[in-house]
């Protein structure tokens, strides 16, 4: 029996799905730059998502507690930064509530906090990406993939069991920079995430269709030939890892602000392989394909969520893990029969013939 869906609940589901689509869109587009265009086996992508968590929950939040420490002490009788362990265990919600009240009355301060936190996330993740470019130059693809995977787990474990990072196992409550929007906050945040997605898409689309992007394809397809023709492989990999990692950090920051809470233990390899599944289904080396893969994943995921009770009656089992089975089968089928994905890679855009003729004539 097909369940009846309340229109209001359906609208909320659509809104939340679009927010996650936008966040994962930024995340998967950054992975596509590394894996789809440059050919790096990036199996530690969640590491840069976690850097967004560190920047927002571990740095920007402490900065807000330091700036508004006087107001927190006056209203809640708490000095959060004097005893961080006690704050993390008992006083997070009271302290952050005071900060949120300030943001409600001062939207400009909330927006400034958001921009600073996102910039910190991009900077922290970008620097880590450039640092990881060193091993990327010296290891073969299989060993490099293992290194990325292990590094991501190292970041997760260390940050989870170090209370000074983001309150350790307790997790960190994050101020809501859009508290001033009131009841319109979810819709406002949807607009913010879509704006980041649009900016990321057009920036990367312009990048990969430039001479820089064509050089990335050349390095991916024939690294030795690209080196012979004078391409500096070191610089290209460092730049790509820096840009893609920074975008991964931005996606992590957007994800944390969506939940207004972060627990560093949540950044498990699952997030890396979900991104790879989206990219493989949509099509590697194509930004439109990357977004198609994200859309397909969330359409299937939300459909299963809506009809899980009906499925439970049919299959007589818990359908919670059914989407993993379905996407596992889908990936196997895609690899066997359509390895290029739903939207395959296309030749990079160049100047039209008319423009080329005009340029020749002017020359």
């Amino acid at each position: 029996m097909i369940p009846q869906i309340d229109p209001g609940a359906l609208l909320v589901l659509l809104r939340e799905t679009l927010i996650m689509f936008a966040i994962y869109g930024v995340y998967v587009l950054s992975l596509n730059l590394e894996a789809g265009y440059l050919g790096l086996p990036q199996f530690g992508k969640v590491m840069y998502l976690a850097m967004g968590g560190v920047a927002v929950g571990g740095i920007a939040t402490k900065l807000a507690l330091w700036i508004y420490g006087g107001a927190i002490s006056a209203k809640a009788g708490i000095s959060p930064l004097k005893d961080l362990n006690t704050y993390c265990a008992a006083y997070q919600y009271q302290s952050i509530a005071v900060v949120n009240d300030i943001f409600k009355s001062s939207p400009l301060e909330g927006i400034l906090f958001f921009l600073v936190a996102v910039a910190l996330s991009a900077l922290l993740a970008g620097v880590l990406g450039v640092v990881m470019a060193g091993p990327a130059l010296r290891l073969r693809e299989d060993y490099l993939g293992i290194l990325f995977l292990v590094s991501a787990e190292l970041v997760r474990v260390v940050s989870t069991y170090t209370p000074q990072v983001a309150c350790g196992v307790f997790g960190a409550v994050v101020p809501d920079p859009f508290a001033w929007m009131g009841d319109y906050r979810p819709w406002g945040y949807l607009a913010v995430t879509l704006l980041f997605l649009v900016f990321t898409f057009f920036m990367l689309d312009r990048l990969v269709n430039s001479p820089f992007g064509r050089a990335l394809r050349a390095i991916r397809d024939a690294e030795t030939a690209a080196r012979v023709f004078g391409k500096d492989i070191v610089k290209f990999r460092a730049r790509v890892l820096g840009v893609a990692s920074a975008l991964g950090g931005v996606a992590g920051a957007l994800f944390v602000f969506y939940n207004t809470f972060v627990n560093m233990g949540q950044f498990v390899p699952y997030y890396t392989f979900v991104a790879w599944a989206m990219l493989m289904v949509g099509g590697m080396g194509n930004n439109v394909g990357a977004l198609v893969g994200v859309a397909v994943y969330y359409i299937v995921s939300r459909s299963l969520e809506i009809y899980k009770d009906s499925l439970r009656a049919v299959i007589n089992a818990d359908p919670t893990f059914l989407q993993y089975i379905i996407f596992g089968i889908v990936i196997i089928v895609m690899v066997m029969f359509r390895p290029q994905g739903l939207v395959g890679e296309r030749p990079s855009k160049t100047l039209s013939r008319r423009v080329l003729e005009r340029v020749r004539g002017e020359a």
Side-chain angles (χ1 to χ4, degrees), residues 172-203:
V173 181
V174 175
D176 183 3
F178 303 104
W180 50 273
M181 290 184 178
D183 295 337
Y184 295 100
R185 196 271 183 190
W187 293 104
Y189 196 66
L190 171 61
V192 170
T193 54
L194 288 175
L195 184 63
F196 271 94
L197 175 61
V198 170
F199 172 78
T200 301
F201 178 83
F202 283 107
M203 181 190 73

Side-chain angles (χ1 to χ4, degrees), residues 202-232:
F202 283 107
M203 181 190 73
L204 292 182
D205 188 65
R206 193 171 180 84
L207 180 67
V208 299
N209 287 297
S210 68
F212 181 85
R214 291 190 284 274
L216 295 185
R217 287 187 173 97
I219 294 170
R220 178 197 64 191
D221 296 335
E223 181 178 326
T224 303
R227 184 177 284 109
V228 168
F229 280 97
K231 300 301 180 183
D232 191 332

Side-chain angles (χ1 to χ4, degrees), residues 35-254:
Y37 287 101
L38 187 56
L40 289 177
Q42 181 53 277
F43 296 142
K45 190 64 185 176
V46 70
M47 173 168 43
Y48 308 105
L49 202 67
M51 287 298 102
V54 171
V56 177
I59 301 176
T61 298
K62 290 187 180 69
L63 183 62
L65 293 174
W66 176 67
I67 293 173
Y68 302 114
I72 295 171
S73 297
K75 292 185 179 180
I78 303 166
S79 298
L81 296 181
K82 285 187 177 180
D83 188 353
L84 195 59
N85 290 329
T86 304
Y87 162 77
C88 291
Y91 299 120
Q92 289 197 68
Y93 287 96
Q94 299 96 311
S95 301
I96 297 302
V98 175
V99 179
N100 287 342
D101 287 339
I102 295 172
F103 288 161
K104 283 180 183 178
S105 59
S106 180
L108 183 60
E109 291 184 51
I111 294 172
L112 183 61
F113 171 75
F114 173 75
L115 294 177
V116 168
V118 172
L120 280 173
S121 301
L123 178 63
L124 192 62
V127 169
L128 180 61
V130 173
V131 170
M132 293 300 295
L137 302 172
R138 296 171 175 82
L139 297 176
R140 293 185 306 179
E141 289 187 358
D142 44 359
Y143 293 111
L144 181 58
I146 294 171
L147 175 69
F148 281 138
L149 179 62
V150 171
S151 299
E153 278 295 276
L154 178 64
V155 169
R156 180 183 69 85
V157 171
V158 171
S159 59
T160 299
Y161 295 102
T162 306
Q164 291 78 10
V165 175
C167 283
V169 295
F170 295 105
V173 181
V174 175
D176 183 3
F178 303 104
W180 50 273
M181 290 184 178
D183 295 337
Y184 295 100
R185 196 271 183 190
W187 293 104
Y189 196 66
L190 171 61
V192 170
T193 54
L194 288 175
L195 184 63
F196 271 94
L197 175 61
V198 170
F199 172 78
T200 301
F201 178 83
F202 283 107
M203 181 190 73
L204 292 182
D205 188 65
R206 193 171 180 84
L207 180 67
V208 299
N209 287 297
S210 68
F212 181 85
R214 291 190 284 274
L216 295 185
R217 287 187 173 97
I219 294 170
R220 178 197 64 191
D221 296 335
E223 181 178 326
T224 303
R227 184 177 284 109
V228 168
F229 280 97
K231 300 301 180 183
D232 191 332
I233 310 299
V234 176
K235 289 184 178 179
F236 277 98
R237 286 186 173 176
R239 290 170 183 172
V240 167
L241 281 168
V243 171
S245 301
L247 290 174
V250 170
L254 295 175

